[in-house]
């Protein structure tokens, strides 16, 4: 039988701080994880008194090197509402390790950007508070158990992507989207998947120019990284995929591209909206209906993705979000 861990840390402080910066449990005063604009939340956390406020880098370093020093949650226990420490570790691994488990093929830069952006969104700040730490734990629980999350907007990096603008192209009949450079700035402008993590599939993909092979290649990446892709049809033009992810109700429509430039060119003759190709022909009846239903419910996300090969940069498979609706 598993025994409940006991909290044995000597984290007591002299209560020079003013409430609510500390919590008293028994006769011991503990420094509370908080910040000036911390949100009210029923679960609180106590921390090692020598630690400053937790930003992403500090918490990630603690979880990586000294996980036993991470904050502990405390809850009020009825009937007298006294505080009680939960001695269990809130996080079993670094934040990036949770992301890597669920998105095994993203690049290292994308991995870090997802984890950092998720931390900042969950905490509504670059500094942690109790509500944010608990939200992260709930997200990781939903990933582990493949159940809906109370925070769907932060469980899927595709929902965290900004909408990139489409600009006028060289001619009046063409448009383009500038692809942001993938850097470790904490900005999550794009997702990148690393071909070194799927070399066999990448090598085959590089040997073919078939739109069907492009669809199968991208469907494989999505599937291996936790998405459920609707069966691609055999239509050989305007390749696109429709897919979902457990944990939220959104549906993704992604048109597929290959580029050797820092942007995506979108000439009119490659736009199914202007060439009279209906959605059913492009992706099949079932996928088209899923897109229409999601669009009606305000749950459709428009994406573009594919390969980007440029001199001086690592080959990559990217996904971006845009607002070029197919309907």
């Amino acid at each position: 039988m598993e025994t409940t861990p006991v909290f044995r840390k000597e984290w007591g402080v002299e209560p020079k701080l003013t409430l609510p910066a500390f919590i008293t449990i028994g006769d011991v005063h503990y420094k509370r994880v908080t910040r000036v604009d911390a949100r009210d939340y029923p679960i609180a956390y106590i921390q090692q008194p020598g630690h400053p406020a937790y930003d992403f880098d500090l918490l990630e370093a603690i979880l990586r090197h000294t996980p036993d020093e991470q904050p502990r949650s405390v809850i009020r226990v009825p009937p007298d509402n006294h505080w009680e420490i939960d001695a269990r570790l809130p996080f079993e691994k670094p934040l990036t390790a949770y992301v890597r488990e669920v998105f095994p093929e993203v690049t290292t830069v994308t991995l870090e950007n997802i984890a950092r952006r998720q931390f900042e969104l969950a905490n509504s700040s670059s500094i942690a508070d109790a509500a944010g730490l608990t939200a992260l734990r709930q997200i990781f629980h939903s990933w582990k158990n493949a159940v809906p999350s109370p925070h769907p907007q932060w469980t899927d990096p595709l929902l965290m992507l900004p909408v990139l603008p489409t600009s006028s192209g060289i001619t009046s009949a063409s448009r383009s989207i500038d692809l942001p450079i993938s850097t470790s700035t904490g900005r999550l402008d794009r997702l990148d998947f690393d071909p070194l993590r799927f070399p066999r599939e990448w090598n085959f993909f590089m040997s073919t120019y078939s739109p069907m092979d492009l669809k199968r290649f991208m469907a494989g990446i999505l599937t291996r990284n936790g998405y459920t892709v609707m069966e691609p049809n055999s239509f050989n033009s305007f390749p696109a995929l429709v897919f979902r992810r457990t944990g939220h109700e959104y549906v993704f429509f992604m048109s597929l591209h290959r580029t050797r430039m820092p942007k995506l060119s979108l000439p009119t003759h490659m736009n199914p909206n202007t060439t009279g190709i209906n959605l059913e022909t492009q992706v099949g009846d079932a996928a088209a209906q899923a897109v229409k239903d999601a669009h009606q419910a305000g749950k459709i996300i428009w994406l573009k993705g594919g390969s980007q090969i440029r001199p001086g940069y690592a080959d990559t498979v990217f996904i971006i979000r845009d607002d070029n609706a197919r309907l």
Side-chain angles (χ1 to χ4, degrees):
M1 185 175 164
E2 194 175 320
T3 57
T4 305
V6 178
F7 184 74
R8 302 188 188 280
K9 292 287 184 184
E10 300 290 337
W11 283 2
V13 294
E14 288 297 316
K16 298 171 187 170
L17 307 164
T18 57
L19 284 168
F22 71 89
I23 286 174
T24 303
I25 302 172
D27 294 324
V28 183
H29 308 294
Y30 294 97
K31 187 177 176 183
R32 183 178 194 153
V33 175
T34 189
R35 60 177 198 244
V36 173
D37 60 342
R39 297 161 289 179
D40 278 340
Y41 201 71
I43 297 174
Y45 290 80
I46 58 172
Q47 68 173 83
Q48 207 268 25
H51 288 169
Y54 295 96
D55 63 7
F56 172 81
D57 292 304
L58 176 59
L59 184 60
E60 178 75 0
I62 289 167
L63 295 177
R64 188 173 299 282
H65 301 296
T66 53
D68 200 42
E69 296 293 294
Q70 65 181 283
R72 300 296 197 281
S73 62
V74 292
I75 54 171
R76 289 196 181 274
V77 179
D80 60 349
N81 277 350
H82 68 279
W83 287 108
E84 209 164 272
I85 300 172
D86 183 348
R88 295 172 300 177
L89 298 180
F91 300 101
E92 300 169 357
K93 60 192 87 157
L95 305 179
T96 49
Y98 283 103
V99 178
R100 174 59 77 201
E101 240 175 31
V102 181
F103 298 95
E105 294 177 353
V106 295
T107 63
T108 302
V109 167
T110 290
L111 175 78
E112 291 172 359
N113 287 345
I114 291 172
R116 185 183 298 274
R117 184 67 181 136
Q118 191 174 53
F119 176 92
E120 292 173 352
L121 287 170
N123 285 290
S124 245
S125 167
S126 60
I127 302 296
D129 68 0
L133 291 177
T134 302
L136 288 170
R137 294 170 69 186
Q138 291 168 329
I139 290 165
F140 300 151
H141 178 267
S142 76
W143 280 353
K144 183 178 180 179
N145 297 287
V147 294
S149 166
H151 313 285
Q153 69 278 29
W154 308 325
T155 62
D156 188 334
L158 291 180
L159 298 178
M160 297 189 261
L161 290 174
V163 174
L164 297 182
T166 303
S167 54
S168 298
I170 299 165
T171 68
S172 60
S174 69
R175 298 173 307 149
S176 65
I177 298 175
D178 289 328
L179 296 176
I181 294 172
S182 185
T183 56
S184 304
T185 57
R187 285 183 59 83
L188 187 67
D189 292 323
R190 56 186 280 167
L191 295 195
D192 283 281
F193 298 86
D194 185 355
L196 294 176
R197 291 181 173 268
F198 40 91
R200 184 172 57 84
E201 291 85 353
W202 176 256
N203 289 336
F204 175 75
F205 170 71
M206 291 297 289
S207 72
T208 171
Y209 281 89
S210 153
M212 272 308 301
D213 287 333
L214 173 55
K215 285 195 273 193
R216 290 192 194 101
F217 171 72
M218 292 298 290
I221 291 173
L222 291 168
T223 302
R224 294 191 301 274
N225 288 272
Y227 293 93
T228 303
V229 184
M230 299 193 73
E231 185 65 33
N233 69 350
S234 57
F235 186 60
N236 234 348
S237 299
F238 310 108
L241 295 173
V242 177
F243 57 99
R244 295 183 169 90
R245 187 177 195 94
T246 299
H248 61 74
E249 297 175 350
Y250 288 89
V251 172
F252 301 103
F253 178 97
M254 181 165 67
S255 60
L256 305 181
H257 305 262
R258 298 172 184 249
T259 184
R260 292 180 176 269
M261 299 186 295
K263 65 179 181 180
L264 273 186
S265 292
L266 306 169
T268 306
H269 70 271
M270 288 176 60
N271 183 348
N273 285 349
T274 56
T275 49
I277 303 297
N278 68 30
L279 196 57
E280 286 74 11
T281 302
Q282 186 182 10
V283 295
D285 291 344
Q289 193 59 53
V291 170
K292 289 176 177 177
D293 291 347
H295 186 253
Q296 191 76 30
K299 298 281 187 183
I300 188 72
I301 304 290
W302 307 106
L303 304 169
K304 287 185 169 45
S307 61
Q308 186 179 26
I309 300 171
R310 295 174 61 197
Y313 292 85
D315 295 346
T316 187
V317 176
F318 71 91
I319 299 178
I320 57 164
R321 183 172 175 181
D322 67 351
D323 57 358
N324 295 314
R326 180 63 179 89
L327 293 173

